[in-house]
Amino acid sequence: METRMAMKGPWPHLLSKGRIGSMELRNRMIVTAMGVSLANDDGTVGERQMAYHEEQAKGGAGLIITGVCGVAWPTGAVARNQIGISDDRFLPGLKQLVDRVHAHGAKIAAQLHHGGQVAGFSSTFGQPLWLPSMPKPFEGDMLDSFLPEELGAFAGGPMPEIKILEAEDIQTAIRQYADGARRAKEAGFDGVEIHGGHGYLISSFLSPSSNRRTDEYGGPLENRARLMLDVARAVREAVGPDFAVWMKLDSREVGKKVGTTLEDAKQVAKWLEAAGVDAITVTSYHDTGAGKLHSDSNIPHLPNTNVPAAEAIKAEVSIPIIASGRIEPDDAESHIAGGKYDFLAMGRKVLADPHLPRKLAEGRPDLVRPCIYCYTCVSAIYVREQVRCAVNFETGYEDLRPNAAPPKGQRIVVIGGGPGGMEAARRLDAAGNKVTLIERSDRLGGTLRFASLAYEPNQRLLNWLRDQIANSGVEVRLKTEATPELVKSLQPDAVYVATGAVRDMPPIPGGDLAHVLSGDDLRKMMLGETSEEVKRKTSFLTRVATKIGAATGMTANIDFVRKATHQWMPLGDNVAIIGGELVGLELAEFLMERGRKVTVIEEGPKFGRGLLLVRRMRIIPELREHGVALHANAKDVRIIEGGVQFVDEAGTAQNIAADHVIVARGARGDSTVAEQLRAAGLTVYEFGDGTGVTYIEGAIRGASEAVTHMGTAA
């Protein structure tokens, strides 16, 4: 059996009631504030934002914090379709939002926000950036990871102007926060979180990296913290003593030579308690010029990144501490029980499954749809799109659900047991259809199995989808070819085709040499499968090992293969990968971690197409840090015995030694099965990689759209 990486429970502390000031919560699970770009263009709250938060309330969260409510909107706006709270005209929509959340027993708080120096979107409204001091020149590799089409989201916009705040401007900002808090209370919110982190206005004053003022708001820590404390006092005065108020505080600034430190944060936390705040949300920030660090602080890739800081700050104050940053519920249970912090704030997890709190309360953690930490959600915001989730199509589109119902009471055939096919089958079964799922291999998963080997979080989705199918009424037929004759014999009302991509060997000189493997060849070798090509290209020992692994079931166990390949792999020490998109880079990471010397050769100008931006910003520098050679804009690529030859982007001929060459290119959509079934007179819905390579997100989204008939049948 594969390790399930499942939550174990129980969670008596996480599910216990908690209190922030006068606000009592039904449990210790909070939906953290996230910018999701779901408000109307004019900053008002509409149905998209309401339906999004209402689903979280239905899902059992104790508290929902609305992200980035602009106290000076449109000044200070950091993103498209951000909520405004800077004028009384926003009150009607805010009141409706509060009522929708309260109807399901959750509490809701408004996050009071001013983007300050990073409010780039405010320039589209002709508003300047508000800064404590003149900024330093931007440095770093962050922009190198953007693809041309992603940079296109910023094309044509005006260059932001800079406003260095005078004393009068500072007083205006303080008043705006207080007025925003008053409006939140008037709208019926249960509390407010003042955003004092992440480089926004208050944080920019606190940090010595951005605050070089010489007046009472600059210099020593007590001066740099003055704006934060003034805002906290003004907000408290505006809402009175019985309304929950807390501050989001950077515990450190990762990667900055001069920045906010944990010692600074500990002292500021004590001042905040004295100023009357009811709690502190502990977060962190980073040097924005370094791409990798965008997943090393407030949205961390490594679990429990901010827990030590939360624990250290809790030791300094008597008010509750809210912690966040890739904390699993089992960890949070032990942390809260051990007194490290008081509340768990979750972001990505509740985008993947807004009903996570309810499922834990019901003792059904197995039903929680897992986050795979692919950064689809945050990357969308980076390129000025609305939030979306790779594993949950409905996130951000909850308002469309009433008009997107799947068919009911039909006989349906789904072809292809990869992620798209499993998602379609489980949805159709849950809607009350009789579903048959046909897969030609001997197990479900498709290419998600190899993706799970290369990137462990993907396995959580694989396991979840398999469990969903196993516990459904779906009839699964493995080792079965979906011929038109077979499918017609099942008399389906509709056929859903998710057969995946075809991965041919592209026409590269030398591609037929024995040490050259396609991505499919490698996948089959690692997972105990075979083909004539694999037999031709592997040694007798490798073939025997693969056969034994398949016979014993060991190579079907992804956890076993992941561990065993650290000790032995049927690949030489030097490996060249031709193709630097998602598959090539994740494969390079997999091989690098297993001691191989890896070179990646990409004919295009950029690496990582197919990876989402923030994941791409992390993996590329990590590969370089670990000695992986990355060559973009390569020309005249040819494979020779013992190596690869090409011309690099500087025009220099390169000859790279390689015991094995892996070609991670050539994937393409293939509609052959769908076309055969259409020709047989069947109603066909086609989606997933068969229609064009779109990876996990495309498979899940395509399945959901096809099932709800938002796709097109031929």
Side-chain angles (χ1 to χ4, degrees):
M1 289 291 292
E2 294 171 6
T3 300
R4 281 315 195 195
M5 297 166 288
M7 293 175 276
K8 297 177 181 178
W11 309 273
H13 293 85
L14 199 57
L15 292 169
S16 66
K17 292 181 179 180
R19 183 175 290 276
I20 297 175
S22 61
M23 178 178 63
E24 185 176 85
L25 307 180
R26 60 185 173 185
N27 57 52
R28 304 298 182 101
M29 287 176 278
I30 297 173
V31 177
T32 196
M34 293 173 279
V36 291
S37 295
L38 295 176
N40 297 328
D41 290 342
D42 63 356
T44 57
V45 171
E47 181 58 28
R48 284 194 309 171
Q49 189 89 40
M50 292 183 207
Y52 164 76
H53 284 309
E54 184 176 24
E55 193 66 25
Q56 295 162 347
K58 291 178 182 177
L63 171 67
I64 297 166
I65 309 173
T66 62
V68 292
C69 295
V71 298
W73 193 96
T75 301
V78 293
R80 180 186 304 276
N81 298 105
Q82 181 178 329
I83 298 172
I85 200 168
S86 55
D87 190 275
D88 288 351
R89 71 180 179 86
F90 296 111
L91 286 173
L94 294 169
K95 287 178 178 178
Q96 289 182 58
L97 169 61
V98 168
D99 290 343
R100 295 269 287 269
V101 168
H102 282 167
H104 304 285
K107 299 295 174 65
I108 183 167
Q111 185 186 70
L112 304 180
H113 176 272
H114 191 305
Q117 63 185 353
V118 291
F121 196 72
S122 64
S123 64
T124 63
F125 300 102
Q127 301 297 319
L129 307 182
W130 285 36
L131 280 75
S133 311
M134 282 299 295
K136 297 177 182 177
F138 184 84
E139 297 178 349
D141 64 358
M142 180 255 198
L143 293 177
D144 296 344
S145 296
F146 279 76
L147 299 176
E149 59 267 31
E150 291 168 337
L151 288 172
F154 304 91
M159 282 295 294
E161 296 181 3
I162 291 172
K163 178 182 180 66
I164 308 302
L165 301 194
E166 303 289 343
E168 182 179 347
D169 301 319
I170 293 172
Q171 294 307 308
T172 296
I174 294 169
R175 186 170 61 255
Q176 288 170 332
Y177 279 100
D179 288 345
R182 173 187 58 77
R183 292 188 185 98
K185 184 177 181 180
E186 185 176 341
F189 283 92
D190 301 288
V192 292
E193 176 181 79
I194 306 166
H195 203 324
H198 303 176
Y200 300 135
L201 183 63
I202 295 174
S203 170
S204 70
F205 272 77
L206 182 64
S207 173
S209 70
S210 50
N211 184 350
R212 292 179 298 283
R213 300 175 71 97
T214 57
D215 62 3
E216 61 180 338
Y217 285 94
L221 180 61
E222 58 266 30
N223 283 3
R224 301 197 315 273
R226 191 179 304 278
L227 175 60
M228 178 180 285
L229 298 171
D230 285 351
V231 168
R233 294 187 191 100
V235 166
R236 172 57 72 202
E237 182 177 356
V239 297
D242 297 324
F243 188 75
V245 174
W246 64 97
M247 182 71 67
K248 192 163 195 171
L249 175 66
D250 287 332
S251 60
R252 66 200 185 287
E253 291 185 294
V254 181
K256 290 189 177 183
K257 295 178 181 178
V258 177
T260 298
T261 67
L262 180 56
E263 291 304 310
D264 292 340
K266 287 159 64 175
Q267 179 59 62
V268 172
K270 290 188 280 190
W271 291 337
L272 284 168
E273 182 176 18
V277 304
D278 296 309
I280 294 172
T281 300
V282 176
T283 184
S284 57
Y285 197 48
H286 55 273
D287 174 5
T288 56
K292 177 182 174 180
L293 299 185
H294 286 252
S295 53
D296 256 357
S297 62
N298 57 307
I299 310 169
H301 194 67
L302 299 178
N304 301 320
T305 293
N306 293 318
V307 171
E311 183 179 13
I313 291 172
K314 182 170 175 58
E316 301 293 328
V317 297
S318 60
I319 53 178
I321 295 297
I322 302 167
S324 66
R326 197 169 175 176
I327 304 172
E328 299 299 331
D330 285 347
D331 289 338
E333 173 64 26
S334 65
H335 295 161
I336 294 172
K340 294 184 177 182
Y341 51 84
D342 303 280
F343 294 90
L344 169 65
M346 295 178 285
R348 290 169 284 182
K349 287 182 183 62
V350 288
L351 295 179
D353 193 339
H355 288 257
L356 183 155
R358 175 183 61 78
K359 292 172 182 178
L360 296 193
E362 294 173 354
R364 296 303 308 271
D366 55 304
L367 299 182
V368 175
R369 187 197 300 255
C371 173
I372 59 172
Y373 302 102
C374 62
Y375 301 97
T376 297
C377 50
V378 65
S379 296
I381 304 304
Y382 272 49
V383 296
R384 295 185 171 179
E385 297 174 356
Q386 76 157 74
V387 72
R388 63 182 196 272
C389 176
V391 303
N392 187 352
F393 159 73
E394 292 175 345
T395 293
Y397 298 92
E398 292 84 359
D399 60 312
L400 302 180
R401 184 182 299 167
N403 301 317
K408 296 180 180 180
Q410 295 187 0
R411 186 185 299 270
I412 292 175
V413 172
V414 178
I415 301 172
M422 287 191 284
E423 176 72 1
R426 74 165 197 90
R427 281 179 172 269
L428 288 163
D429 173 76
N433 299 285
K434 181 176 174 55
V435 182
T436 301
L437 175 59
I438 298 175
E439 165 58 36
R440 67 181 178 183
S441 75
D442 62 351
R443 59 183 69 97
L444 297 176
T447 55
L448 182 56
R449 293 174 56 234
F450 189 68
S452 299
L453 182 62
Y455 185 55
E456 179 273 329
N458 289 336
Q459 188 179 354
R460 306 177 191 194
L461 177 63
L462 173 63
N463 291 342
W464 184 81
L465 285 168
R466 284 175 168 175
D467 286 346
Q468 289 281 302
I469 295 298
N471 293 309
S472 73
V474 175
E475 177 193 359
V476 178
R477 297 191 183 187
L478 300 175
K479 300 181 183 178
T480 302
E481 287 287 342
T483 63
E485 294 76 20
L486 172 64
V487 175
K488 288 193 76 171
S489 73
L490 297 174
Q491 298 180 321
D493 295 295
V495 182
Y496 291 77
V497 178
T499 48
V502 173
R503 289 166 173 80
D504 299 324
M505 179 68 75
I508 300 173
D512 58 345
L513 293 172
H515 68 304
V516 181
L517 302 170
S518 69
D520 269 2
D521 293 337
L522 185 66
R523 174 178 60 82
K524 290 173 181 175
M525 288 168 57
M526 294 292 100
L527 297 176
E529 301 171 11
T530 190
S531 68
E532 291 305 313
E533 274 296 286
V534 170
K535 290 177 182 177
R536 183 176 74 84
K537 296 179 178 180
T538 52
S539 68
F540 175 75
L541 176 62
T542 297
R543 293 196 297 274
V544 169
T546 299
K547 193 170 185 178
I548 293 172
T552 61
M554 289 188 297
T555 48
N557 186 320
I558 293 172
D559 292 316
F560 171 80
V561 175
R562 190 182 298 112
K563 293 173 184 175
T565 50
H566 282 278
Q567 304 302 320
W568 180 81
M569 289 179 66
L571 294 174
D573 292 337
N574 298 297
V575 180
I577 299 172
I578 298 176
E581 297 187 359
L582 179 151
V583 174
L585 293 194
E586 289 197 342
L587 183 56
E589 183 179 48
F590 177 78
L591 295 173
M592 169 268 292
E593 291 171 348
R594 286 152 180 79
R596 296 324 192 253
K597 182 178 179 182
V598 181
T599 300
V600 182
I601 302 159
E602 166 58 40
E603 292 184 333
K606 292 283 187 178
F607 288 101
R609 186 174 293 277
L611 289 164
L612 276 298
L613 174 60
V614 177
R615 169 85 171 123
R616 196 186 314 133
M617 287 196 294
R618 183 175 190 88
I619 192 172
I620 292 172
E622 280 194 337
L623 290 173
R624 289 193 170 112
E625 288 168 12
H626 288 86
V628 174
L630 301 176
H631 296 276
N633 283 318
K635 305 237 179 350
D636 302 327
V637 179
R638 62 185 302 110
I639 303 168
I640 59 173
E641 290 287 351
V644 179
Q645 295 177 337
F646 62 95
V647 177
D648 66 21
E649 62 182 338
T652 303
Q654 298 285 345
N655 193 338
I656 304 298
D659 303 307
H660 281 93
V661 179
I662 301 170
V663 179
R665 281 175 38 199
R668 60 178 176 82
D670 181 13
S671 294
T672 301
V673 172
E675 289 170 357
Q676 289 174 344
L677 296 174
R678 289 186 184 111
L682 295 163
T683 299
V684 176
Y685 297 89
E686 187 181 13
F687 58 93
D689 282 356
T691 61
V693 181
T694 53
Y695 305 106
I696 292 173
E697 181 187 4
I700 298 296
R701 184 169 297 276
S704 304
E705 290 178 341
V707 164
T708 55
H709 286 184
M710 293 167 65
T712 302

